[in-house]
Amino acid sequence: MYLFLMRFIVKKWNKIYNMWVRKGKNMSKKYVYLFNEGNASMRNLLGGKGAGLAEMTNLGLPVPGGFTVTTEACLRYYEDNETLHPDIQKEIFDTLEKFEKSVGKKLGDPNNPLLLSVRSGARVSMPGMMDTVLNLGINDEIVQSLIKLTGNEKFAYDSYRRFIQMYSDVVINLPKSSFERIIDEMKENRGVKLDNELTAEDLKELVAKFKAYYKEAKREDFPTDPKKQLLTAAEAVFRSWNNPRAIYYRQMNEIPHEWGTAVNVQMMVFGNMGNDCATGVAFSRNPSTGENKIYGEFLINAQGEDVVAGVRTPMNMSQLKDVMPDVYAQFIDTAKKLEKHYKNMQDMEFTIEKNKLYMLQTRNGKRTAQAALQVACDMYDEGLVTKEEALMQIEPKQLDNLLHPTFDAKLLKSTKPLATALPASPGAACGQVVFTAESAVEWKNKGHKVVLVRLETSPEDIEGMHVAEGVLTVRGGMTSHAAVVARGMGTCCVAGCGDIAMHEDKKYFTLHGETIKEGDYISLDGSTGNIYLGQIATVPATISGNFERIMTWSNEFKKLGVRTNADTPRDAKQAKDFGAEGIGLCRTEHMFFDADRIKSMREMIVAKTVEQREKALAKLLPMQRSDFEGLFKAMEGAPVTIRYLDPPLHEFLPTEEKDIIAIAKELNITTDELKEVIASLHEFNPMMGHRGCRLAVSYPEIAVMQTKAVIEAAINVTKECGYNIVPEIMIPLVGELKELEYVKKIVVSTADELIKNSGLNMKYKVGTMIELPRACVNADEIAKEAEFFSFGTNDLTQMTFGFSRDDAGKFLKDYYDKKIYLNDPFQRFDQEGTGKLVEIAVNKGKTTRPDIKLGVCGEHGGDPSSIDFFHRTGLSYVSCSPFRVPIARLAAAQAAIRNK
Amino acid sequence: MYLFLMRFIVKKWNKIYNMWVRKGKNMSKKYVYLFNEGNASMRNLLGGKGAGLAEMTNLGLPVPGGFTVTTEACLRYYEDNETLHPDIQKEIFDTLEKFEKSVGKKLGDPNNPLLLSVRSGARVSMPGMMDTVLNLGINDEIVQSLIKLTGNEKFAYDSYRRFIQMYSDVVINLPKSSFERIIDEMKENRGVKLDNELTAEDLKELVAKFKAYYKEAKREDFPTDPKKQLLTAAEAVFRSWNNPRAIYYRQMNEIPHEWGTAVNVQMMVFGNMGNDCATGVAFSRNPSTGENKIYGEFLINAQGEDVVAGVRTPMNMSQLKDVMPDVYAQFIDTAKKLEKHYKNMQDMEFTIEKNKLYMLQTRNGKRTAQAALQVACDMYDEGLVTKEEALMQIEPKQLDNLLHPTFDAKLLKSTKPLATALPASPGAACGQVVFTAESAVEWKNKGHKVVLVRLETSPEDIEGMHVAEGVLTVRGGMTSHAAVVARGMGTCCVAGCGDIAMHEDKKYFTLHGETIKEGDYISLDGSTGNIYLGQIATVPATISGNFERIMTWSNEFKKLGVRTNADTPRDAKQAKDFGAEGIGLCRTEHMFFDADRIKSMREMIVAKTVEQREKALAKLLPMQRSDFEGLFKAMEGAPVTIRYLDPPLHEFLPTEEKDIIAIAKELNITTDELKEVIASLHEFNPMMGHRGCRLAVSYPEIAVMQTKAVIEAAINVTKECGYNIVPEIMIPLVGELKELEYVKKIVVSTADELIKNSGLNMKYKVGTMIELPRACVNADEIAKEAEFFSFGTNDLTQMTFGFSRDDAGKFLKDYYDKKIYLNDPFQRFDQEGTGKLVEIAVNKGKTTRPDIKLGVCGEHGGDPSSIDFFHRTGLSYVSCSPFRVPIARLAAAQAAIRNK
């Protein structure tokens, strides 16, 4: 009993203590900043918009005054179960009072009313995702003051009705459509088409109708207290941080849910007070082409939402010169000032109130890839930015768009997609539908362009995927077999179109009511995931001079090498053209799926004795050797890392009854014998089965054959072309030193013998993939034998998380929805978990072999944020698919600049 | 060119330097020790036998002199590509010379010839696995001296022919059978039955015939140079370290291949010189019962091999008292002295030459489990050992034999097994063959005892396994589903009998020519893997008082807690009787496979809405609650850790067409609908799929139901029985803090509500399994929410190695054969790899929560060497299947004593 009492007291005391600490902590925080108290460096606290407004204020630009409620207040709001703490409320009103004094207007003061805009603003721009309330502070009394002060009744009621509409939508969640219906009725009644054709009287009546509707829906009057309006609007903005489209946007753009949004409260200026007023948005340069010329639109006598709504056709910015030449000149000047200040192209919002320019927002402008390159090069040439700054302006992933053919944008405008699925591999594809890899090859050989449509693809489909313009799958995500292989090939792919009903056997599928048969044309847009019926013309990719210039600059700064994953001379050549410094991963098994080779491969698999197996391998040797000769020639002496056979052998065997019968016949064994082999190779978890170097341990003769192929090819090409070739032999899936020792011994004895006989003084390296957690924690041991490491981050991610790429798709969606994971760890490297194992491996590996070469192969090698991590972790190079090489080069340069 | 030259010089210099260093290193080593230069502590260097001989020599016991060539010489032999370095040869002969001087005899000296035995001796005893050569040093000249010196021609030729035989077998690898055929011919010729009935003349002729055969086979004369005989024999012993049976023995007994063997060269003493000579082996106590009485056998006028060969029937040691009373008394005295010295029961080899006793070997004797307990208790009572020493004498795994019924040993002697497969779960089972779990239940209900024979088992077979006496599977290894579940239940299981041809549909199987039909009797010995036709009677396990005594002592020393893995009150009760201090793992899913429950489970799985799912869960709730009530009652307030639903849901759905049709009907949905659900749940790698806490993330209502069941059960039992129950809720497969946060929130809000309403002040804990590498490296984060960790070493091992338990069996054999892995990491915890992740997790977990409770559940919790690691790593408890609890208790005590 005594103990119980003690526990109770301790617990209570802890609670009180915690409350006290927390109160203390929060009380010392400043939650509200006047614009002139902030600056651009306070983006995390004030949000992008708030920091921008503060910075512009400090620069002396014409910014309507106001203040920002911080992102920390937003977090606190959620911490306090979605209530705004009284302390924060007080701070808002205290700041408001200071502000009111400075401008000489007052919220809710009929004599001199202050009207406010209340807008969201997160650390990074999330355009249109969160909420805004304009004209806040109006009520029946204030509207009369406005009329009196401006003498403009129409303006006053227009502002009032806009406020009621926005407030009801954003704060109260009343359906927008209800208000629009009321307006439409009114316009019909009056026989007018545009909102601004309504008279002051009409608008006054509209206000009354809106308020009546509000009362009916909410069973209370529209709030007349401007202070209450302000608080509820601020809360609504905080809440909008977690509306579904904002959450979705963050997932798409890898923005942490923990950041929160700020609220910007700003004095209203009015573009709708008459014909000496206007509102608009403009870029300091052309965001499509990058041309150094103001680009944007404005509307006379309007508020911001009208520009967006697109009811009236806005005017081009160049026309502002004619309409308001002074304001235009001031705007141009302001834009230049901002560009110079931010060292980047600006995207600005402005309002002109009675011929006076006000800046409402500035931010770095989004732009096309082509424009990004143009702007970066121009700004450097203009002396506005250094090379480093120019490079940092460009979003590496965007370069992808410059590397694939695209649909003619004009044609797309007039074509509705039949469906949209996952944009798995960019590019534009147009061709006739086929349903099997074999048909793809057949049709292609007859001169047709084909699009391969499959439930899902498997390694057996490689050849078909190679000849197809594009690939469409029913199942599978962004990292499914189809997606990964297609990206590797640079082939367009749209994946996971679950709405397709497949009738492969009858050679047709249905999708959203349409039936598409073999031979019908479809078009795929791999950048949007759109699927179109029929043919759409494409335009080839153009790589302008800017592109090369940026790549050259990248090479000046980057520390990481950039290699490519390539299995064929074609891919290797392509990657080399894109600047790859070597091959980081050649997957030898892809070479075995060709129709004329898979037979020998299968003979090897069904072999019952070492002799039979060696006989089959002997048939594969010349083929594999000639593959490597092709690669060595394509790479002209640059390093080539060759990974030995990796997948479980059952991947090479058929699964369908009819194929089994055919192949058994071909292999000259009975169907039962073949079935027995297939059954004996069946695995419960093939990802964790008999694969990687485990194959070489069980069947050393495979490693012998592969070593012969690599070394003989290197010898032949050295003799023929005189390159200094140093083949890098990579043993996959090693988890234990002795395992590597065993395989390396086989490699070395085979290789040394061949080299000795060749009379050359050829060097070669034997290294390993680090793709198992056990290899990471034992990297010091493994480095005793491994002359290099290459992190196989795909498998390492799978083993570290304990989920397989093929299966995780099913539940990862729940994880995103519940905000447990933000990103697909197979696309963006998991620095917090898997990264720790990589760090352990790097440190341990260097302990044993300080100069060990450390690479990354796998999808992450082409992902910019992952590349930043690999740079920081001290790796030597990344390796990625050919079409990602330019991205990786720029990302590597940015990583070096960012972490200098 | 200059650079190249420099490189060349540096390389050469390195080579010379390395040789010099190595030479220096090796030269400073002493490779050969006279017996009086060694002692018992030098076991690693001199081997067990060598250290024993040295120690006996130092004790002043009658040991024929000699010397030991060290295990390091053996390693050097292999390092030098199986050649004996000239330095070592020289050291051997130098030592031999010293020794010869001390005994006044000389190898190869016709005047006073020294004969030698050359025997292996590794760090631990590997009885019969390696080679021995006796009587070394004889040739045609020396045999004449022996005749002259002993006046015993028969002895001399007998020794000679034995030497030729052994040398030819061991050193030259000539087939033993050839020599035996020559002897048999001779005996037939002479009309005698036993070897020792041959006359001196016969033996002389035999020697001639042996030498002739040798010459014919080897095309050279039998070596006459005794020094050459010695070196080649020593080399042969080194080689025998790597003969197949030695390698296999090491694998079975987890002995590292790197240890190597020593070679013991010892002066021959002769038990075959006449009737005042003898040779024998004896234990200082009875190795079957532990009785404190000399136990052993000897043969008059014989050499050691005759005792082993069993041609003549040896005499019981007690008879030695009558034959040679003085020698007997001396032997008893020596045995006592050795027991006292080694503080353990001794297993001794001796020879009596002309009434003089010579000790040839002593080592700790192997004994049955029963004897081990008896000896330990007796020696403590006799004051020979402390409690700690007594505990350290007992091999924990042996206790297993005391916990299961066994076949009547007498009956076994006369019964030949039909086949032998893997001894997957100990015990003896006898029953009628059935082929399905349903038949098992049916037959059992009709009062039959059954043995369940399956290709392999799955969770659906649980009920059948429960009612069966034993389980026999065709596929699967020591850690297959059948093996793990059977060990958990304490049910006998023989697994992986690949020779069985199953005809399940026709209800019979064939094995080695026999056809066994449903209803036929078979008997399984789970300790040997033997399968017998028909019925063999069993004797129940007896737990003597010694057993309890040892367990009590164990509890005095152990630091680790010992809990059990139990899903049913029956298992829990059993474990508690064996001393379990709580339940460390209750797998809730096992409860759902019962026939009357799986329907509701399936309803839940096919549910299309949350409401439907909740309805099905509501049906499961009372069942699960009553399960937990049973467990809480059985454990009487001891801690119970409950793991939430873990396996992928498809495990609960049928796979066979006919079952699908039946179950669809039962669930009131169409077959197609059910097939669709099954297809949607299909996973490529189920081990890495939608399971563990991922289920609770997708379907939080499951966690709600399970929490209700746990907390309501705890409340009910607390109210009914008054125990102080603190349920421990364990969330499986966590890899990320936010994931645990999400599930914990659901648990806590559900639990707190129920507890509040109950009026009790019940506590509960929420913790997690650490079974993913990501959880290990992020353990500091996870410990923020997890109140305890339990290491799921099975899954952690799988993910760390990247191979699945179900698939690894196929290639691990190659890994053992190639000496890459020594042990199955699923049986013996992989301290070198997975252990590093556990250490990381322990350290990180303690950083956040210094007093965090750390457990282990999974098969390793019952493995002694793994338990030692868990003790050293600072865990709080291990948890294992009920029948391993006593083993774990003793192993935990030993770990504490060993690491004091």
Side-chain angles (χ1 to χ4, degrees), chain A residues 4 7 258 456 679-691 693-700 733 735-736 738-739 742 761 772-775 777-778 780-781 798-808 810-811 814-815 818-821 830 832-834 836-837 840 844, chain B residues 4 258 456 679-691 693-700 733 735-736 738-739 742 761 763 772-775 777-778 780-781 795 798-804 806-808 810-811 814-815 818-821 830 832-834 836-837 840 844:
Chain A
F4 179 76
R7 274 201 199 138
E258 293 88 355
E456 58 206 338
S680 76
L681 291 176
H682 169 260
E683 294 184 312
F684 296 97
N685 296 283
M687 187 63 65
M688 308 174 79
H690 197 181
R691 51 175 287 243
C693 67
R694 296 164 194 163
L695 294 171
V697 169
S698 294
Y699 312 113
L733 215 71
E736 159 66 40
K738 286 186 199 161
E739 197 176 26
Y742 178 83
N761 181 31
L772 296 176
R774 199 173 194 278
V777 295
N778 281 334
D780 46 350
E781 286 289 307
Q798 297 194 97
M799 298 304 164
T800 306
F801 278 93
F803 51 65
S804 103
R805 206 154 59 151
D806 296 318
D807 300 310
K810 278 185 202 152
F811 55 83
D814 295 326
Y815 274 68
K818 292 171 182 179
K819 302 192 205 161
I820 296 172
Y821 291 126
D830 162 45
E832 297 73 28
T834 319
K836 293 209 175 105
L837 285 171
I840 289 171
K844 291 200 167 208
Chain B
F4 180 75
E258 294 87 353
E456 59 204 337
S680 76
L681 291 177
H682 169 262
E683 295 184 311
F684 296 98
N685 296 283
M687 187 63 65
M688 309 174 78
H690 198 182
R691 50 175 287 244
C693 67
R694 295 162 197 165
L695 295 172
V697 169
S698 294
Y699 312 113
L733 216 71
E736 160 66 40
K738 286 187 200 162
E739 197 176 25
Y742 178 83
N761 182 30
K763 301 271 172 297
L772 296 175
R774 198 173 194 278
V777 296
N778 281 334
D780 45 350
E781 286 289 307
D795 271 15
Q798 298 194 96
M799 298 304 164
T800 306
F801 277 93
F803 50 63
S804 104
D806 297 318
D807 300 311
K810 278 184 201 152
F811 54 82
D814 295 326
Y815 274 69
K818 293 171 179 176
K819 302 193 207 160
I820 295 172
Y821 291 127
D830 162 45
E832 297 73 27
T834 318
K836 293 208 176 107
L837 284 173
I840 289 171
K844 291 201 167 207

Side-chain angles (χ1 to χ4, degrees), chain B residues 270-435:
Chain B
F270 297 95
N272 59 341
M273 268 191 178
N275 286 333
D276 53 354
C277 301
T279 190
V281 294
F283 291 84
S284 58
R285 299 179 189 227
N286 186 316
S288 289
T289 64
E291 191 192 2
N292 186 2
K293 200 176 148 197
I294 285 283
Y295 179 95
E297 297 171 326
F298 68 98
L299 269 176
I300 298 282
N301 196 13
Q303 268 197 340
E305 46 175 339
D306 301 326
V307 182
V308 182
V311 191
R312 285 156 60 200
T313 306
M315 297 162 82
N316 196 298
M317 275 304 280
S318 59
Q319 296 176 270
L320 187 62
K321 196 173 180 177
D322 308 324
V323 188
M324 304 178 184
D326 292 351
V327 175
Y328 178 75
Q330 191 190 352
F331 185 79
I332 294 292
D333 187 53
T334 303
K336 287 285 156 224
K337 210 178 261 177
L338 284 170
E339 259 200 353
K340 198 171 169 184
H341 184 73
Y342 282 109
K343 302 190 169 202
N344 208 325
M345 177 183 111
Q346 294 300 296
D347 168 4
M348 300 155 289
E349 290 179 19
F350 63 94
T351 285
I352 301 167
E353 186 185 288
K354 297 179 179 272
N355 274 317
K356 186 166 164 21
L357 175 69
Y358 289 98
M359 300 299 293
L360 300 185
Q361 167 157 326
T362 191
R363 61 185 174 202
N364 295 338
K366 297 213 184 288
R367 63 209 84 170
T368 65
Q370 207 186 333
L373 296 177
Q374 188 69 49
V375 168
C377 289
D378 284 354
M379 284 196 161
Y380 174 73
D381 292 337
E382 292 159 22
L384 275 177
V385 297
T386 63
K387 275 186 196 171
E388 286 102 316
E389 287 162 347
L391 287 174
M392 291 307 286
Q393 277 185 4
I394 306 164
E395 167 58 40
K397 280 186 181 171
Q398 268 197 318
L399 296 181
D400 206 26
N401 297 326
L402 298 175
L403 299 167
H404 302 275
T406 49
F407 286 123
D408 188 331
K410 278 172 230 146
L411 290 175
L412 276 194
K413 273 198 182 158
S414 56
T415 315
K416 229 187 124 219
L418 176 59
T420 302
L422 298 172
S425 176
C430 174
Q432 290 173 278
V433 165
V434 293
F435 291 100

Side-chain angles (χ1 to χ4, degrees), chain B residues 120-192:
Chain B
S120 63
R123 216 186 273 197
V124 297
S125 166
M126 295 168 55
M129 296 301 131
M130 291 182 295
D131 290 330
T132 292
V133 179
L134 300 182
N135 307 336
L136 185 141
I138 309 192
N139 54 27
D140 288 351
E141 193 182 5
I142 301 291
V143 79
Q144 296 308 327
S145 329
L146 284 180
I147 295 170
K148 217 187 302 169
L149 286 165
T150 62
N152 189 336
E153 193 177 358
K154 185 175 163 182
F155 154 72
Y157 279 111
D158 188 42
S159 300
Y160 197 6
R161 69 97 189 164
R162 284 172 191 267
F163 171 56
I164 298 174
Q165 240 176 308
M166 290 179 109
Y167 184 91
S168 302
D169 170 27
V170 168
V171 182
I172 310 297
N173 270 322
L174 293 181
K176 250 182 185 163
S177 53
S178 308
F179 293 94
E180 273 156 20
R181 208 180 318 115
I182 297 170
I183 300 181
D184 288 345
E185 276 169 23
M186 168 84 68
K187 287 196 288 191
E188 207 174 321
N189 252 325
R190 301 295 185 264
V192 301

Side-chain angles (χ1 to χ4, degrees), chain B residues 468-482:
Chain B
E469 304 300 308
V471 178
L472 170 61
T473 69
V474 181
R475 296 190 204 131
M478 293 293 284
T479 53
S480 60
H481 177 268

Side-chain angles (χ1 to χ4, degrees), chain B residues 114-125:
Chain B
L114 175 67
L115 297 195
L116 297 172
S117 70
V118 177
R119 293 189 293 173
S120 63
R123 216 186 273 197
V124 297
S125 166

Side-chain angles (χ1 to χ4, degrees), chain B residues 13 96 152 186 209 254 404 495 514 530 573 614 678:
Chain B
W13 193 85
L96 175 65
N152 189 336
M186 168 84 68
K209 285 192 171 173
E254 308 185 348
H404 302 275
E514 297 283 343
N530 283 343
K573 181 80 182 49
E614 282 176 342
I678 294 171

Side-chain angles (χ1 to χ4, degrees), chain A residues 344-413:
Chain A
N344 207 325
M345 176 184 114
Q346 293 301 297
D347 167 3
M348 299 156 288
E349 290 179 18
F350 63 94
T351 285
I352 301 167
E353 186 185 289
K354 296 181 180 267
N355 273 319
K356 184 164 164 27
L357 174 69
Y358 288 99
M359 300 301 292
L360 300 185
Q361 168 157 327
T362 191
R363 61 186 174 201
N364 294 339
K366 297 214 183 289
R367 63 209 84 170
T368 65
Q370 207 186 333
L373 297 177
Q374 187 69 49
V375 169
C377 289
D378 283 354
M379 283 197 163
Y380 173 74
D381 291 339
E382 293 158 21
L384 275 178
V385 297
T386 63
K387 275 186 197 173
E388 286 102 315
E389 287 162 348
L391 288 175
M392 292 307 286
Q393 279 185 4
I394 306 164
E395 168 58 39
K397 279 187 180 170
Q398 268 197 319
L399 296 181
D400 206 26
N401 298 326
L402 299 175
L403 300 165
H404 301 275
T406 48
F407 285 123
D408 188 330
K410 277 172 230 143
L411 290 176
L412 276 195
K413 274 198 181 158

